[in-house]
Amino acid sequence: RPKKTILVIEDNEEERELLRLVFKRKKIEVSTAKSVLTAFRQLKKRKFDLILLDLSLPDGSGMDILEKIKAEYKNRVIITTGVGNIKTAVEAMKLGAFDFKTKPIDFPSLIASVNKAIELYEQYKDLKNNKDDRFIEAEVTKSFGYPSITLKELEKIHISKILKKTNYRLMETSKILGISRTTLYRKIKEYRLP
């Protein structure tokens, strides 16, 4: 798979450079922007797997950017801010932000959040590109579109897909999934799968 890409939108040069170095070390290609204007220039040039977005920018608010990109980047924007409050966090999440991090940034937590967002997006793309099962495609689109798809929902969809693929042969399904039959039985019961 191609290298993952992140756009870091941060006006503070030191923080922007630190974030660039952290993600470069994680083998993620990083582009940067220091304002609303430069962010939109970057977004016109190319698509990104994830956006790290500071809310306080010199020429406007990160919320303005989030509002404009919410359809295309739903669940792929992580907000970073030094002026976080519950109201702002809720508003950002309603606009499709994946997570909300306050500064100073806890890097292990941020990296975990970035990895999770990218993993979910990759799984979403993989399942959406699977044209042989329209039901799963519809479920993924429905789940991902409101308000975010959880790992449990993705797991349920994936188990359902493998069950159908094996004609509901549990032994074969558990081998493909790499889980025990006991765990598979528990998941089938938990997710109320046929």
Side-chain angles (χ1 to χ4, degrees):
R1 290 194 176 183
K3 206 174 197 183
K4 302 298 170 246
T5 58
I6 290 183
L7 174 60
V8 174
I9 306 169
E10 169 61 63
D11 65 322
N12 181 297
E13 189 175 348
E14 287 176 14
E15 288 182 33
R16 194 171 58 243
E17 183 61 16
L18 182 59
L19 288 164
R20 190 185 70 73
L21 290 171
V22 166
F23 290 113
K24 185 178 178 186
R25 204 172 288 140
K26 296 286 178 190
K27 308 281 189 255
I28 295 174
E29 185 181 320
V30 181
S31 296
T32 61
K34 60 183 176 183
S35 66
V36 173
L37 181 65
T38 56
F40 282 123
R41 281 188 191 144
Q42 288 280 9
L43 289 163
K44 280 182 185 172
K45 278 190 217 172
R46 66 182 295 192
K47 298 203 181 304
F48 296 90
D49 292 307
L50 190 82
I51 297 173
L52 219 56
L53 176 61
D54 183 17
L55 290 184
S56 302
L57 298 167
D59 57 345
S61 167
M63 292 297 260
D64 298 333
I65 296 173
L66 185 58
E67 177 71 43
K68 288 184 174 70
I69 64 171
K70 66 182 178 187
E72 187 175 358
Y73 284 92
K74 187 171 184 71
N75 297 315
R76 294 190 291 139
V77 177
I78 295 175
I79 302 294
T80 60
T81 184
V83 290
N85 60 47
I86 299 291
K87 184 181 175 195
T88 308
V90 168
E91 187 181 340
M93 299 310 250
K94 282 182 180 176
L95 287 174
F98 180 79
D99 204 351
F100 191 92
K101 302 287 185 187
T102 54
K103 296 177 183 177
I105 293 173
D106 172 5
F107 282 99
S109 172
L110 178 64
I111 290 165
S113 193
V114 164
N115 288 338
K116 184 175 178 185
I118 289 175
E119 177 189 347
L120 284 172
Y121 180 57
E122 288 299 310
Q123 289 179 6
Y124 167 73
K125 284 193 313 188
D126 288 348
L127 288 170
K128 190 135 173 57
N129 289 335
N130 183 358
K131 299 295 183 206
D132 65 342
D133 195 334
R134 299 292 176 189
F135 167 75
I136 288 177
E137 185 178 337
E139 282 296 303
V140 169
T141 302
K142 182 176 79 177
S143 297
F144 200 77
Y146 177 81
S148 66
I149 191 165
T150 65
L151 286 173
K152 280 189 170 266
E153 289 167 330
L154 271 173
E155 182 180 58
K156 176 182 176 182
I157 292 166
H158 187 62
I159 290 170
S160 176
K161 175 184 168 189
I162 302 302
L163 278 167
K164 286 180 184 177
K165 190 175 182 178
T166 63
N167 290 321
Y168 299 90
R169 290 190 298 271
L170 300 181
M171 183 85 119
E172 189 177 338
T173 300
S174 66
K175 280 183 183 175
I176 290 171
L177 292 171
I179 58 177
S180 70
R181 277 191 304 182
T182 307
T183 302
L184 179 59
Y185 288 130
R186 189 174 46 77
K187 299 270 182 202
I188 289 170
K189 188 176 177 183
E190 176 185 347
Y191 296 138
R192 297 187 177 118
L193 295 170

